Amino acid sequence: MRRSLPPLLEQLAADDDLIVVDNASSDGTVAAIGELAPWAQVVQEDRNVGFGAGCNKGAAAASGDLLVFLNPDAVPGPGFCEAIRRPATDEHGWAAWMGLVTADGGRIVNTEGGVVHFTGVAWAGGAGRPLETGTAGGSEREVGFVSGACLAIPADTWRDAGGFPEKFFLYHEDVDLSLRLRLAGGRLGIEPTAVVDHDYEFAKGPSKWRYMERNRLATLIRTFPASLLILLAPALLATEIAVVFVSLAGGWGRQKLLAWRDAAVALPRLLGERRRIQERRTIGAARFAASLTPDLDSPYLGRAARLAPLRWALRAYWSVVRALLGVAGSPGA
């Protein structure tokens, strides 16, 4: 916070809200805010309520027309505030957007736009790529999902969507929100001139896999249209089997089993949430599917996921699914 807050304070306008949500931290965050920005509004929790719930509480305290969420370890670059507002002032028509998130002191890309596979696996696009070949300085474009590390969304759109799913606690909330915005006909984008540098580390212990897997399943249940889920059923079953072997090899097999248990226990609630989400859907399954990918290009999935035979098989399967859904022509059709 002492590293990320000063560059942001230099750029805030006089009428901007600054809201910090403290999830019962023990690292002196509240004291640091008191020193650096005593006028800021601090929302203090007596326990860790999770990323999604914390963001929701912060958004509820905001009074502006545009909400911008920043991770506490994301350091805004010069001109960030002006750039992150640009899609709203230029009327791009996006439901939500993100900035370019770098890592390693701005030397590599952390994410230049999220990617969602048709199995619900999602990852940071461009992760690990040298920044020179990233999108810095390039033009804005649409993305698969917007990263919660640096996310901008009109306040009315946020409220209408219902914010992040609080039961997720951690991971995949931004994917779920993005897909719900798509179901409502929204478009998602990146403003690459709004740069933040993220102190990011992928490995955060075995429990991360439990959260990621249970929330991937929850997102599939909540957001994927029924016709798409039916056509994907064989691939989703094969994915679960494959992930079991991957988890055993990676030493997180117990976490995968716990993720299944979590999803089973939550199933009645998830089906109720699904019903409400799908009732608000304004686009067909074909258009929703157009934003998904058949390629497993994440650097975190290993070389096996990018082997040519698997790539061909996934692309062929996805082509059949899209044809059955009535998708013709380009991915944006």
Side-chain angles (χ1 to χ4, degrees), residues 246 296 301-311:
V246 170
L296 292 168
L301 297 177
R303 291 184 58 190
R306 298 188 294 276
L307 290 175
L310 178 60
R311 180 184 292 264

Side-chain angles (χ1 to χ4, degrees), residues 32-226:
I33 297 299
E35 296 173 18
L36 297 171
W39 52 270
Q41 183 175 351
V42 179
V43 178
Q44 285 187 264
E45 297 295 323
D46 57 8
R47 61 185 178 87
N48 185 355
V49 298
F51 178 81
C55 288
N56 289 351
K57 289 177 180 294
S63 62
D65 296 331
L66 179 67
L67 302 175
V68 178
F69 298 89
L70 281 176
N71 277 12
D73 54 0
V75 181
F80 167 79
C81 284
E82 178 184 358
I84 201 66
R85 300 180 209 267
R86 193 170 298 132
T89 57
D90 290 355
E91 299 183 350
H92 287 349
W94 291 340
W97 58 95
M98 57 177 285
L100 173 65
V101 185
T102 66
D104 193 23
R107 286 182 282 275
I108 62 174
V109 172
N110 180 200
T111 176
E112 56 186 12
V115 183
V116 187
H117 192 259
F118 63 71
T119 58
V121 176
W123 61 89
R129 183 181 304 168
L131 190 60
E132 291 74 19
T133 60
T135 57
S139 60
E140 66 280 349
R141 59 181 176 81
E142 293 195 34
V143 298
F145 75 90
V146 288
S147 170
C150 176
L151 187 157
I153 182 171
D156 287 343
T157 304
W158 170 267
R159 286 189 288 267
D160 189 58
F164 285 130
E166 297 188 0
K167 295 291 186 181
F168 281 27
F169 188 75
L170 194 62
Y171 303 118
H172 230 75
E173 303 95 341
D174 46 6
V175 180
D176 185 277
L177 172 64
S178 295
L179 295 184
R180 282 185 282 127
L181 292 173
R182 285 200 182 280
L183 286 172
R187 296 161 50 226
L188 310 169
I190 178 173
E191 175 49 69
T193 61
V195 181
V196 297
D197 192 58
H198 191 196
D199 185 11
Y200 180 78
E201 182 182 359
F202 180 80
K204 291 182 173 65
S207 62
K208 176 176 181 175
W209 294 105
R210 176 182 180 180
Y211 292 136
M212 290 180 66
E213 276 297 287
R214 79 172 189 196
N215 294 345
R216 175 179 68 87
L217 296 173
T219 299
L220 285 169
I221 294 169
R222 283 161 51 93
T223 65
F224 275 43

